[in-house]
Amino acid sequence: MADIKIRLEEVQDYHEVELVARAAFYRDERIKEIGVGCTEHYMIHELRNQDGIKELNFVAVLDDKIVGHVIYSHSYILKDDGERIETLNFGPLSVLPEWQKQGIGSMLMRFSIEKAKELGYGAIIFFGHPTYYPRFGFVEAKEFGITTAWGANYPAFMAMELRDGYLKNAQGKYFEADIYDEDITKEPSKEYDKLFSK
């Protein structure tokens, strides 16, 4: 494995990080589906100003070039009795196409999970690929009695405790930042994407 270094994202990294995300996620078929090749670079841009967590916003660097990135944001579970349990969400997790499947995404995940534990966060809940993320300790959120905001469950909806027992009595509905809703982001993403050349 190449000599990859992981560090916190800095202000001067912002544009390069968004280029990495755009390269990682851009698909021509998405233009046909939603009118823009990807929304992830716009999500990152907006998360920095909204629900993003600066101390959990990391880049993977090789020879002074950013090849990967992960960003975390605030989320929560709302229990039936009205109690709110604070959690983390993460993503997008981006790796340049030419560096994918070489362990960089895994490095970013393991590093950021350990940092989140050190900082005292209780759990991570998110929507992701159900065959990739269990290797880091994620399980289906339904194991903790947690559903999506609309009351559903499926394998891509996953959770992981960072502190033992944190989700033991956390049965309820999960809410993340609105920026993750593609219906909300697709129009502003189209405008934002005009700042990037294909």
Side-chain angles (χ1 to χ4, degrees):
M1 182 64 187
D3 188 19
I4 302 289
K5 293 180 173 56
I6 297 176
R7 61 166 173 79
L8 284 169
E9 181 192 61
E10 299 171 355
V11 173
Q12 60 266 31
D13 300 325
Y14 285 5
H15 185 65
E16 188 177 356
V17 161
E18 290 166 24
L19 286 171
V20 169
R22 190 174 187 272
F25 289 101
Y26 198 96
R27 301 289 182 271
D28 287 335
E29 58 267 24
R30 290 181 78 183
I31 297 174
K32 296 171 190 164
E33 292 169 9
I34 64 169
V36 64
C38 70
T39 59
E40 286 78 6
H41 57 322
Y42 174 71
M43 288 179 184
I44 292 167
H45 173 76
E46 286 298 304
L47 280 170
R48 292 191 190 107
N49 303 317
Q50 296 178 22
D51 296 301
I53 302 170
K54 286 183 171 52
E55 65 266 26
L56 289 173
N57 192 353
F58 296 104
V59 292
V61 181
L62 175 65
D63 298 331
D64 297 321
K65 177 182 174 64
I66 294 172
V67 295
H69 172 260
V70 67
I71 188 168
Y72 281 72
S73 57
H74 295 285
S75 59
Y76 63 94
I77 301 159
L78 188 62
K79 295 177 63 173
D80 291 340
D81 63 5
E83 181 186 355
R84 180 168 155 153
I85 298 172
E86 300 299 324
T87 58
L88 291 175
N89 185 11
F90 78 88
L93 169 65
S94 313
V95 177
L96 282 175
E98 61 268 31
W99 285 98
Q100 291 175 7
K101 299 184 179 177
Q102 298 189 50
I104 294 171
S106 293
M107 287 176 65
L108 281 164
M109 283 306 305
R110 291 193 175 95
F111 185 90
S112 61
I113 288 167
E114 285 308 309
K115 288 297 180 185
K117 286 179 182 177
E118 288 173 18
L119 291 167
Y121 289 99
I124 303 170
I125 305 177
F126 79 113
F127 299 86
H129 204 291
T131 62
Y132 179 74
Y133 289 100
R135 73 188 71 183
F136 306 111
F138 288 97
V139 298
E140 288 186 43
K142 69 179 181 182
E143 293 193 21
F144 298 105
I146 301 164
T147 72
T148 65
W150 54 96
N153 266 121
Y154 40 88
F157 180 46
M158 290 176 275
M160 177 173 65
E161 288 185 323
L162 299 174
R163 299 201 315 250
D164 287 344
Y166 188 79
L167 297 176
K168 183 179 179 183
N169 297 304
Q171 296 79 16
K173 293 183 176 180
Y174 174 70
F175 294 86
E176 59 185 352
D178 288 343
I179 198 67
Y180 291 105
D181 185 336
E182 199 165 72
D183 287 336
I184 291 172
T185 59
K186 65 182 176 183
E187 290 306 322
S189 292
K190 287 180 195 176
E191 288 304 308
Y192 193 67
D193 198 57
K194 292 176 183 175
L195 302 174
F196 297 76
S197 59
K198 195 168 179 189

Coordinates of all heavy atoms in Angstrom, one line a residue, residues 22-78:
R22 N -16.6 14.5 -6.8 CA -17.3 14.5 -8.1 C -16.7 13.4 -9.0 O -17.5 12.7 -9.7 CB -17.1 15.9 -8.7 CG -17.9 16.1 -10.0 CD -17.7 17.5 -10.5 NE -18.6 17.8 -11.6 CZ -18.3 17.6 -12.9 NH1 -17.2 17.1 -13.2 NH2 -19.2 17.9 -13.8
A23 N -15.4 13.3 -8.9 CA -14.8 12.2 -9.7 C -15.2 10.8 -9.3 O -15.5 9.9 -10.1 CB -13.3 12.3 -9.7
A24 N -15.4 10.7 -8.0 CA -15.8 9.4 -7.4 C -17.2 9.0 -7.7 O -17.5 7.8 -7.9 CB -15.6 9.4 -5.9
F25 N -18.1 10.0 -7.8 CA -19.5 9.6 -7.9 C -20.2 10.0 -9.2 O -21.3 9.6 -9.5 CB -20.3 10.4 -6.8 CG -20.1 9.8 -5.4 CD1 -19.2 10.4 -4.5 CD2 -20.7 8.6 -5.0 CE1 -18.9 9.9 -3.3 CE2 -20.4 8.1 -3.7 CZ -19.6 8.7 -2.9
Y26 N -19.5 10.8 -10.0 CA -20.2 11.3 -11.3 C -20.5 10.1 -12.2 O -19.7 9.3 -12.5 CB -19.2 12.2 -12.0 CG -19.9 13.1 -13.0 CD1 -20.4 14.4 -12.7 CD2 -20.2 12.6 -14.3 CE1 -21.0 15.2 -13.6 CE2 -20.8 13.4 -15.3 CZ -21.3 14.7 -14.9 OH -21.9 15.4 -15.8
R27 N -21.7 10.0 -12.7 CA -22.2 9.0 -13.6 C -23.1 9.7 -14.6 O -24.1 10.4 -14.3 CB -23.0 7.9 -12.9 CG -22.3 7.2 -11.8 CD -21.2 6.3 -12.3 NE -20.5 5.6 -11.2 CZ -19.5 6.0 -10.6 NH1 -18.9 7.2 -10.9 NH2 -18.9 5.3 -9.6
D28 N -22.8 9.4 -15.9 CA -23.7 10.0 -17.0 C -25.1 9.6 -16.8 O -26.0 10.3 -17.1 CB -23.1 9.6 -18.4 CG -21.9 10.3 -18.7 OD1 -21.6 11.4 -18.2 OD2 -21.1 9.8 -19.5
E29 N -25.4 8.3 -16.4 CA -26.8 7.9 -16.3 C -27.5 8.7 -15.2 O -28.8 8.7 -15.3 CB -26.8 6.4 -15.9 CG -26.1 5.9 -14.7 CD -24.7 5.5 -14.9 OE1 -24.0 5.9 -15.9 OE2 -24.2 4.7 -14.1
R30 N -26.8 9.3 -14.3 CA -27.5 10.1 -13.3 C -28.0 11.4 -13.9 O -29.0 11.9 -13.4 CB -26.6 10.4 -12.1 CG -26.4 9.1 -11.2 CD -25.5 9.4 -10.0 NE -26.2 10.0 -9.0 CZ -25.7 10.4 -7.8 NH1 -24.4 10.3 -7.6 NH2 -26.4 11.0 -6.9
I31 N -27.4 11.8 -14.9 CA -27.9 13.0 -15.6 C -29.3 12.7 -16.2 O -30.2 13.5 -16.1 CB -26.9 13.4 -16.8 CG1 -25.6 13.8 -16.1 CG2 -27.5 14.6 -17.6 CD1 -24.5 14.1 -17.1
K32 N -29.4 11.5 -16.8 CA -30.7 11.1 -17.3 C -31.7 11.0 -16.2 O -32.9 11.3 -16.4 CB -30.6 9.8 -18.1 CG -29.7 9.9 -19.3 CD -29.4 8.6 -19.9 CE -28.3 8.7 -21.0 NZ -27.8 7.4 -21.4
E33 N -31.3 10.5 -15.1 CA -32.2 10.2 -14.0 C -32.7 11.5 -13.2 O -33.8 11.7 -13.0 CB -31.6 9.2 -13.0 CG -31.4 7.8 -13.5 CD -30.6 6.9 -12.6 OE1 -30.3 7.4 -11.5 OE2 -30.2 5.8 -13.1
I34 N -31.7 12.3 -12.8 CA -32.0 13.4 -11.9 C -31.5 14.7 -12.5 O -31.7 15.8 -11.9 CB -31.4 13.2 -10.5 CG1 -29.8 13.1 -10.6 CG2 -31.9 12.0 -9.9 CD1 -29.2 13.2 -9.2
G35 N -30.9 14.7 -13.7 CA -30.5 16.0 -14.3 C -29.1 16.5 -14.0 O -28.6 17.5 -14.4
V36 N -28.4 15.7 -13.1 CA -27.0 16.1 -12.8 C -26.2 14.8 -12.5 O -26.8 13.8 -12.1 CB -27.0 17.0 -11.5 CG1 -27.5 16.3 -10.3 CG2 -25.6 17.6 -11.2
G37 N -24.9 14.8 -12.9 CA -24.1 13.6 -12.8 C -23.8 13.2 -11.4 O -23.6 12.0 -11.2
C38 N -23.8 14.0 -10.4 CA -23.7 13.7 -9.0 C -24.1 14.8 -8.1 O -24.1 16.0 -8.6 CB -22.3 13.2 -8.7 SG -21.1 14.5 -8.7
T39 N -24.5 14.5 -6.9 CA -24.9 15.5 -5.9 C -23.9 15.6 -4.7 O -24.0 16.5 -3.9 CB -26.3 15.2 -5.4 OG1 -26.3 13.9 -4.8 CG2 -27.4 15.3 -6.5
E40 N -23.0 14.6 -4.7 CA -22.2 14.4 -3.5 C -21.2 15.6 -3.3 O -21.0 16.0 -2.1 CB -21.4 13.1 -3.6 CG -22.2 11.9 -3.4 CD -23.0 11.5 -4.5 OE1 -22.9 12.1 -5.6 OE2 -23.8 10.5 -4.4
H41 N -20.7 16.2 -4.3 CA -19.8 17.4 -4.1 C -20.5 18.5 -3.5 O -20.0 19.3 -2.7 CB -19.0 17.7 -5.4 CG -19.9 18.0 -6.6 ND1 -21.0 17.4 -6.9 CD2 -19.7 19.0 -7.5 CE1 -21.6 17.8 -8.0 NE2 -20.8 18.8 -8.4
Y42 N -21.8 18.7 -4.0 CA -22.6 19.8 -3.4 C -23.0 19.5 -1.9 O -23.0 20.4 -1.1 CB -23.9 19.9 -4.2 CG -24.9 20.9 -3.6 CD1 -24.6 22.3 -3.6 CD2 -26.1 20.4 -3.1 CE1 -25.5 23.2 -3.1 CE2 -27.0 21.3 -2.5 CZ -26.7 22.7 -2.5 OH -27.6 23.5 -1.9
M43 N -23.3 18.2 -1.6 CA -23.6 17.8 -0.3 C -22.4 18.2 0.7 O -22.6 18.8 1.8 CB -23.8 16.3 -0.2 CG -25.1 15.8 -0.8 SD -25.1 14.0 -0.6 CE -26.6 13.6 -1.4
I44 N -21.2 17.9 0.3 CA -20.0 18.2 1.1 C -19.9 19.7 1.3 O -19.7 20.2 2.4 CB -18.8 17.6 0.4 CG1 -18.8 16.1 0.5 CG2 -17.5 18.2 1.1 CD1 -17.7 15.4 -0.4
H45 N -20.1 20.4 0.2 CA -20.0 21.9 0.3 C -21.0 22.4 1.3 O -20.7 23.3 2.2 CB -20.3 22.5 -1.1 CG -20.5 23.9 -1.1 ND1 -19.4 24.8 -1.1 CD2 -21.6 24.7 -1.2 CE1 -19.8 26.0 -1.1 NE2 -21.1 26.0 -1.2
E46 N -22.3 21.9 1.3 CA -23.3 22.4 2.2 C -23.1 21.9 3.6 O -23.4 22.6 4.6 CB -24.7 22.0 1.6 CG -25.1 22.8 0.5 CD -25.2 24.3 0.8 OE1 -26.0 24.7 1.7 OE2 -24.6 25.1 0.1
L47 N -22.7 20.6 3.8 CA -22.5 20.1 5.1 C -21.5 20.9 5.9 O -21.6 21.0 7.1 CB -22.0 18.6 5.0 CG -23.2 17.6 4.8 CD1 -22.6 16.2 4.5 CD2 -24.1 17.5 6.0
R48 N -20.5 21.4 5.2 CA -19.5 22.2 6.0 C -20.1 23.4 6.7 O -19.7 23.9 7.7 CB -18.4 22.7 5.0 CG -17.5 21.6 4.5 CD -16.3 22.3 3.8 NE -15.6 21.3 3.0 CZ -15.6 21.2 1.7 NH1 -16.3 22.1 1.0 NH2 -14.8 20.3 1.1
N49 N -21.2 23.9 6.1 CA -21.9 25.1 6.6 C -23.1 24.8 7.5 O -23.6 25.7 8.1 CB -22.4 26.0 5.4 CG -21.2 26.4 4.5 OD1 -20.1 26.8 5.0 ND2 -21.5 26.3 3.2
Q50 N -23.5 23.5 7.5 CA -24.7 23.2 8.2 C -24.4 22.2 9.3 O -24.0 22.6 10.4 CB -25.7 22.6 7.2 CG -26.2 23.6 6.2 CD -27.2 23.0 5.2 OE1 -27.8 22.0 5.5 NE2 -27.3 23.6 4.1
D51 N -24.6 20.9 9.1 CA -24.5 19.9 10.1 C -23.1 19.2 10.2 O -23.0 18.2 10.9 CB -25.6 18.8 9.9 CG -27.0 19.5 10.1 OD1 -27.2 20.0 11.2 OD2 -27.8 19.4 9.1
G52 N -22.2 19.6 9.4 CA -20.9 18.9 9.3 C -20.1 19.1 10.6 O -20.3 20.1 11.4
I53 N -19.3 18.1 10.9 CA -18.5 18.1 12.2 C -17.0 18.2 11.8 O -16.4 17.3 11.3 CB -18.7 16.8 13.0 CG1 -20.2 16.7 13.3 CG2 -17.9 16.8 14.3 CD1 -20.6 15.4 13.9
K54 N -16.4 19.4 12.0 CA -15.1 19.7 11.6 C -14.0 18.7 12.1 O -13.1 18.4 11.4 CB -14.7 21.1 11.9 CG -15.4 22.2 11.1 CD -14.9 23.6 11.5 CE -15.4 24.7 10.5 NZ -16.8 24.7 10.3
E55 N -14.2 18.3 13.3 CA -13.2 17.4 13.9 C -13.3 16.0 13.4 O -12.5 15.1 13.8 CB -13.2 17.4 15.4 CG -14.5 16.9 16.1 CD -15.5 18.0 16.4 OE1 -15.5 19.0 15.7 OE2 -16.3 17.7 17.3
L56 N -14.3 15.7 12.5 CA -14.4 14.4 11.9 C -14.5 14.5 10.4 O -15.2 13.7 9.7 CB -15.7 13.7 12.5 CG -15.6 13.2 13.9 CD1 -17.0 12.7 14.4 CD2 -14.5 12.1 14.1
N57 N -13.8 15.4 9.9 CA -13.8 15.7 8.4 C -12.4 15.4 7.9 O -11.5 16.3 8.1 CB -14.2 17.1 8.2 CG -14.6 17.4 6.8 OD1 -14.3 16.6 5.9 ND2 -15.0 18.6 6.5
F58 N -12.1 14.3 7.3 CA -10.7 13.8 7.1 C -10.5 13.6 5.6 O -11.3 13.3 4.8 CB -10.5 12.5 7.8 CG -10.5 12.6 9.3 CD1 -11.6 12.1 10.0 CD2 -9.5 13.2 10.0 CE1 -11.7 12.1 11.3 CE2 -9.6 13.2 11.4 CZ -10.6 12.7 12.1
V59 N -9.2 13.9 5.2 CA -8.7 13.6 3.9 C -7.6 12.6 4.0 O -6.8 12.5 4.9 CB -8.2 14.9 3.2 CG1 -9.3 15.8 2.9 CG2 -7.1 15.6 4.0
A60 N -7.5 11.8 2.9 CA -6.4 10.8 2.7 C -5.5 11.4 1.6 O -5.9 11.8 0.6 CB -6.9 9.5 2.2
V61 N -4.2 11.6 2.0 CA -3.3 12.3 1.1 C -2.1 11.4 0.7 O -1.6 10.6 1.5 CB -2.7 13.5 1.9 CG1 -1.7 14.3 1.0 CG2 -3.8 14.4 2.4
L62 N -1.8 11.5 -0.6 CA -0.6 10.7 -1.1 C 0.2 11.7 -1.9 O -0.3 12.4 -2.9 CB -1.1 9.6 -2.1 CG 0.0 8.9 -2.8 CD1 0.9 8.1 -1.8 CD2 -0.6 7.9 -3.8
D63 N 1.5 11.9 -1.5 CA 2.4 12.8 -2.2 C 1.7 14.2 -2.4 O 1.7 14.8 -3.5 CB 2.8 12.3 -3.5 CG 3.6 11.0 -3.4 OD1 4.3 10.8 -2.4 OD2 3.5 10.2 -4.3
D64 N 1.1 14.7 -1.3 CA 0.5 16.1 -1.3 C -0.7 16.2 -2.2 O -1.3 17.3 -2.4 CB 1.5 17.2 -1.7 CG 2.7 17.3 -0.7 OD1 2.4 17.2 0.5 OD2 3.8 17.5 -1.2
K65 N -1.3 15.1 -2.6 CA -2.5 15.0 -3.4 C -3.6 14.3 -2.6 O -3.4 13.3 -2.1 CB -2.3 14.3 -4.7 CG -3.5 14.2 -5.6 CD -3.2 13.4 -6.9 CE -4.4 13.1 -7.7 NZ -5.1 14.3 -8.3
I66 N -4.8 15.0 -2.5 CA -5.9 14.3 -1.8 C -6.5 13.3 -2.7 O -6.9 13.5 -3.9 CB -6.9 15.4 -1.5 CG1 -6.4 16.4 -0.4 CG2 -8.2 14.7 -0.9 CD1 -7.2 17.6 -0.1
V67 N -6.5 12.0 -2.2 CA -7.1 10.9 -3.0 C -8.4 10.4 -2.3 O -9.0 9.5 -3.0 CB -6.0 9.8 -3.1 CG1 -4.8 10.3 -4.0 CG2 -5.5 9.3 -1.8
G68 N -8.7 10.8 -1.1 CA -9.9 10.3 -0.5 C -10.4 11.3 0.6 O -9.6 12.2 1.0
H69 N -11.6 11.1 1.0 CA -12.2 12.1 1.9 C -13.5 11.4 2.6 O -14.2 10.7 2.0 CB -12.7 13.3 1.2 CG -13.5 14.3 2.0 ND1 -14.9 14.4 2.0 CD2 -13.1 15.2 2.9 CE1 -15.3 15.3 2.8 NE2 -14.2 15.8 3.4
V70 N -13.7 11.8 3.9 CA -14.9 11.4 4.5 C -15.4 12.6 5.4 O -14.5 13.3 6.0 CB -14.8 10.1 5.4 CG1 -13.8 10.3 6.6 CG2 -16.1 9.6 5.8
I71 N -16.7 12.8 5.5 CA -17.2 13.8 6.3 C -18.3 13.3 7.2 O -19.1 12.4 6.7 CB -17.8 15.0 5.4 CG1 -18.2 16.2 6.3 CG2 -18.9 14.5 4.5 CD1 -18.5 17.5 5.4
Y72 N -18.4 13.7 8.4 CA -19.5 13.3 9.3 C -20.4 14.5 9.6 O -20.0 15.6 9.5 CB -18.8 12.8 10.7 CG -18.3 11.4 10.6 CD1 -17.1 11.2 9.9 CD2 -18.9 10.4 11.2 CE1 -16.6 9.9 9.8 CE2 -18.4 9.1 11.2 CZ -17.2 8.9 10.5 OH -16.7 7.6 10.4
S73 N -21.6 14.1 10.0 CA -22.6 15.2 10.4 C -23.4 14.7 11.5 O -23.5 13.5 11.9 CB -23.4 15.5 9.2 OG -24.1 14.4 8.7
H74 N -24.2 15.7 12.1 CA -25.1 15.4 13.2 C -26.3 14.7 12.7 O -26.9 15.0 11.7 CB -25.4 16.6 14.0 CG -24.2 17.3 14.7 ND1 -23.7 16.8 15.8 CD2 -23.5 18.4 14.3 CE1 -22.7 17.5 16.2 NE2 -22.5 18.5 15.3
S75 N -26.9 13.8 13.5 CA -28.1 13.1 13.2 C -28.7 12.7 14.6 O -28.1 12.9 15.6 CB -28.0 11.9 12.3 OG -27.1 11.0 12.9
Y76 N -29.9 12.2 14.6 CA -30.5 11.8 15.9 C -31.6 10.8 15.7 O -32.2 10.6 14.6 CB -31.0 13.1 16.6 CG -32.2 13.8 15.9 CD1 -33.5 13.5 16.2 CD2 -31.9 14.8 15.0 CE1 -34.5 14.2 15.6 CE2 -32.9 15.4 14.3 CZ -34.3 15.1 14.6 OH -35.3 15.8 14.0
I77 N -31.9 10.1 16.8 CA -33.1 9.2 16.9 C -34.1 10.0 17.7 O -33.8 10.5 18.8 CB -32.7 7.9 17.6 CG1 -31.6 7.2 16.8 CG2 -33.9 7.0 17.7 CD1 -30.8 6.2 17.6
L78 N -35.4 9.9 17.3 CA -36.5 10.5 18.0 C -37.3 9.3 18.6 O -37.9 8.6 17.8 CB -37.3 11.4 17.2 CG -38.4 12.2 17.9 CD1 -37.8 13.2 19.0 CD2 -39.2 13.0 16.9

